[in-house]
Structures are given as structure tokens and as C-alpha cells.
Amino acid sequence: MNEALLRSLTPSVLGVLVRRGADFAAAEDAVQDALVEAVRVWPAGPPRDPKAWLITAAWRKFLDATRADTARRRREDLADEEPVPGPAPAVDDTLQLYFLCAHPSLTPSSAVALTLRAVGGLTTRQIAQAYLVPEATMAQRISRAKRTVSGVRFDRPGDVATVLRVLYLVFNEGYSGDVDLSAEAIRLTRQLAAVIDHPEVAGLLALMLLHHARRAGRTAPDGSLVPLAEQDRSRWDTALIAEGIGILQAALARDRLGEFQAQAAIAALHADAPTAGETDWPQIVEWYDELARLTDNPVVRLNRAVAIGEADGPRAGLAALAALDDSLPRHTAVAAYLHERDGDLSTAARLYAEAARKAPSLPERDHLTRQAARLNTRHRH
């Protein structure tokens, strides 16, 4: 069973049902039921047109559910609209569906969570990690969002800022390696940039391209993580880097700075450095200052502490870190790195081991465990 195919078709199928009059919550339930049915029957005989099969199956699931609690007249109206047999039109509804999910009746955070779950294919756990909240809290937020839009006609699409936030989070989840969604996020952001002339859309596209350009260098042949300073820069995609920097420069020239442009500027400084030792850390600190002013995000301040440690020395970085909540994700890993830079190997080894126990992914846990073992070996000798 090709799970990637099912995931890629889900937004289009969901979009068809919504446009045909299904409310969002019921449409999502019907699509999920159709996916379960596909997993059950496709291995024995895959359809010639998977998208058409899913549309028909999902619509029938929706009709079955509708018949249980709506009047006969409404049922007959819906039945008249059933898709005709034959190939499904080759229309990509994904970006439109992102806008539909960013509905004005939802708060931005709820719209993002709902879209990530229903369209992006992320689990509730993954979304909760992105928002730094407990999984149970995120589950309640998504359920409330579904109830809010249940029965609402999606004829008032949401704003660009919410859609950008969703695309950014989808890209980050794909980039982490847990779900391979980064290429899809780039494709959709390219589509958005082609139809909306906005510097933050360009900034997000530049940010994605610059990060994606370094992807081949992020892992060793055995799958282990390679820190930025140790990556083989000859494996970076120079064409993507050049494209990203060009898009960013054009956006910055418009003098309407936003958080995605600031993040892209930081990524550009990393990508443009011939070696790790030639990275312009003082300028990166300045961009983190701008980013912190724009967002007041604690994770930004955590990354800023690392940059200060590189620009002004590890003790300056530790001082910046001391002002932050030590429950922040990766706070312990950053502390370990800065203590190692400061020469306190025993403290660094202990913190690396502690950070490994908190790591959100297996590759990160293994990397931090190796760091702790390396320092323990050096300390013993």
C-alpha cells in the first residue's frame, strides 16, 4: 500500500467534498473512512484512477452518514450531485484547501492546527510538539475547531498569514525527517508566491529553499545527524541557495520586514559561508535580535543564545541562556554545547545525556548520546 500516494490525494478529495456542500468535519470523517477502505481493498486490486476511486468512496461515506441524521429532501439533493463515473479532473485543490481551513470563524492557532491535521496529514502529537503544548491540549483545540466549522460554508477563505504559518510548520515537520512533507510545502509556497505579491510569502519561500539546499548534508550515510559545523558543504545544493538568496534580496529591498524574511536572512548567512569558521556570527546575532523583536518567541531566544556563544564566546552564550526557561525544547542540548565550548567537559557530558533522554526524535537522541559518550571518553583519558 502506497501511503505517500494516499496522503498526497487526501487534500484534493477533501476539497471536492467541501465544494459539493459537505461541511468540513463531516467531509474529513468521510475521507478518513474512504482511506481506511482503500487500505483494506487496494492491495487485492488497485484502481486505475486512485483519486476518482477515493472521491466516489468518500462521497458515498458522506451520504451514508448524512442519511442517518438529515431530512429526505436534503439527502436527495446530495445524491443528485454524486460524481459521475470516469477519470477525476487533474486539479490541485491543496492550496485552496489551506485557505479554506484558515476560516475567519477560527482563531489563527486553531486554523493552523486544523489544517495541519486535516490537510497536512500530521498527527496530533506532531502538531502539539510544534506548538510546545501537551498532546491532550492540542487534541481539544482541534476538536473545538472541527465543531466550530461544522455546518459552516467555506465561502470566506482565511488570510495569508495563517496559510504561511501552516506551510512553515508543515515544512519544518517534513524537514525533521518524521514525515516527508518538505517538498510538498515548497511546491505549495511556490504556487502561492506566483499568485500573491507579498514579501513574507517570498521570505518563506526563500527560507524553505535555503534550508532544503542543505538537506543532503544533514545526515551521514548511516543515517546519523551531522551538525551544521561539520557538514560537507560540497553536498549543498548551490542552485537552490542562489535562488533562495535572490528571492530574499528582492523581498528585503521592499523594506517590509517580517519574521520569515528575518529567518531566511539567518539561513542565507549560514549558506553563504564557505566554511563554518567563516560564518558571520555577529550579523546572525543582529538578525536574531530583529526576529526576537518581531515574534517574542522563546525558541528564537534559545537560538540567539547559541549565536551569541559563537560571536562573543561560550560564557556570553550561557549568560543569555540563563535568562530563558530551562523547560524549552533543546534548552539542555544548547547548555551542553556551550559548556563543552567553555571547556567544562563533565558538565557537558551530563547535559548531553540528559538532553538525549528528552530528544523528540530517534536520530536526535542517538546524536546526543554519542556526544555524551565522546566527552565521557575524553574526560576519562
Side-chain angles (χ1 to χ4, degrees):
M1 171 57 58
N2 191 332
E3 293 184 7
L5 174 62
L6 289 176
R7 187 184 300 121
S8 69
L9 292 174
T10 297
S12 292
V13 177
L14 187 56
V16 169
L17 266 65
V18 170
R19 287 200 308 275
R20 289 183 176 276
D23 71 71
F24 187 87
E28 187 196 8
D29 289 342
V31 172
Q32 293 301 319
D33 288 344
L35 293 175
V36 170
E37 184 73 6
V39 170
R40 186 180 69 83
V41 304
W42 283 12
R48 286 193 297 271
D49 188 338
K51 180 178 177 181
W53 190 98
L54 283 172
I55 290 172
T56 300
W59 187 255
R60 288 172 178 167
K61 296 287 185 183
F62 171 67
L63 288 179
D64 288 344
T66 302
R67 290 188 181 101
D69 56 12
T70 61
R72 177 176 296 276
R73 181 176 179 180
R74 175 60 177 155
R75 295 201 306 268
E76 292 172 351
D77 290 342
L78 289 171
D80 290 341
E81 298 174 13
E82 182 172 346
V84 297
V91 177
D92 185 354
D93 300 305
T94 308
L95 189 57
Q96 180 186 11
L97 201 57
Y98 271 60
F99 272 95
L100 294 177
C101 287
H103 197 271
S105 62
L106 296 172
T107 64
S109 60
S110 294
V112 170
L114 178 62
T115 313
L116 290 172
R117 183 70 184 91
V119 187
L122 274 64
T123 66
T124 303
R125 175 184 60 80
Q126 291 166 334
I127 303 168
Q129 288 176 347
Y131 268 89
L132 309 181
V133 299
E135 183 175 349
T137 300
M138 183 53 65
Q140 292 175 353
R141 184 179 300 177
I142 294 172
S143 295
R144 284 197 300 269
K146 288 181 180 180
R147 289 196 298 270
T148 299
V149 300
S150 180
V152 171
R153 293 290 298 186
F154 283 79
D155 53 359
R156 295 166 56 216
D159 66 341
V160 175
T162 301
V163 173
L164 289 179
R165 176 64 49 192
V166 175
L167 290 168
Y168 173 68
L169 291 173
V170 170
F171 176 82
N172 280 347
E173 195 60 51
Y175 192 67
S176 73
D178 196 10
V179 180
D180 189 11
L181 294 171
S182 49
E184 173 69 359
I186 290 173
R187 183 183 71 83
L188 292 172
T189 307
R190 283 191 187 279
Q191 285 187 8
L192 190 59
V195 297
I196 296 180
D197 183 20
H198 192 292
E200 272 294 82
V201 176
L204 178 58
L205 179 57
L207 175 63
M208 289 179 174
L209 295 176
L210 290 164
H211 277 305
H212 205 61
R214 305 201 308 258
R215 187 168 190 175
R218 293 182 73 244
T219 54
D222 63 0
S224 60
L225 292 180
V226 180
L228 176 61
E230 300 172 18
Q231 289 178 18
D232 178 359
R233 298 185 178 218
S234 68
R235 299 185 65 196
W236 292 0
D237 188 328
T238 55
L240 279 185
I241 291 173
E243 182 185 4
I245 290 176
I247 292 171
L248 172 63
Q249 289 174 337
L252 291 175
R254 301 177 66 175
D255 198 24
R256 291 168 56 193
L257 184 64
E259 63 173 296
F260 294 122
Q261 293 169 75
Q263 287 192 58
I266 293 168
L269 288 167
H270 283 299
D272 205 35
T275 66
E278 295 173 85
T279 303
D280 189 346
W281 286 107
Q283 193 173 352
I284 288 176
V285 172
E286 292 179 5
W287 276 112
Y288 271 122
D289 289 341
E290 288 285 351
L291 191 54
R293 179 182 61 80
L294 290 165
T295 67
D296 195 29
N297 187 315
V299 176
V300 169
R301 297 188 183 279
L302 183 69
N303 292 331
R304 176 179 174 272
V306 176
I308 289 174
E310 298 290 352
D312 301 327
R315 294 194 179 182
L318 286 167
L321 188 65
L324 303 177
D325 186 346
D326 61 8
S327 67
L328 278 172
R330 298 185 173 88
H331 183 286
T332 308
V334 169
Y337 173 74
L338 291 172
H339 276 290
E340 180 183 358
R341 288 279 316 282
D342 196 38
D344 187 350
L345 301 188
S346 60
T347 298
R350 175 178 58 79
L351 290 171
Y352 275 130
E354 182 182 338
R357 292 192 291 272
K358 301 176 182 177
S361 68
L362 182 60
E364 189 170 342
R365 186 195 70 187
D366 290 345
H367 170 71
L368 293 167
T369 300
R370 285 193 296 271
Q371 296 293 83
R374 173 179 58 82
L375 292 188
N376 282 324
T377 300
R378 285 177 57 185
H379 188 61
R380 285 196 297 269
H381 292 82

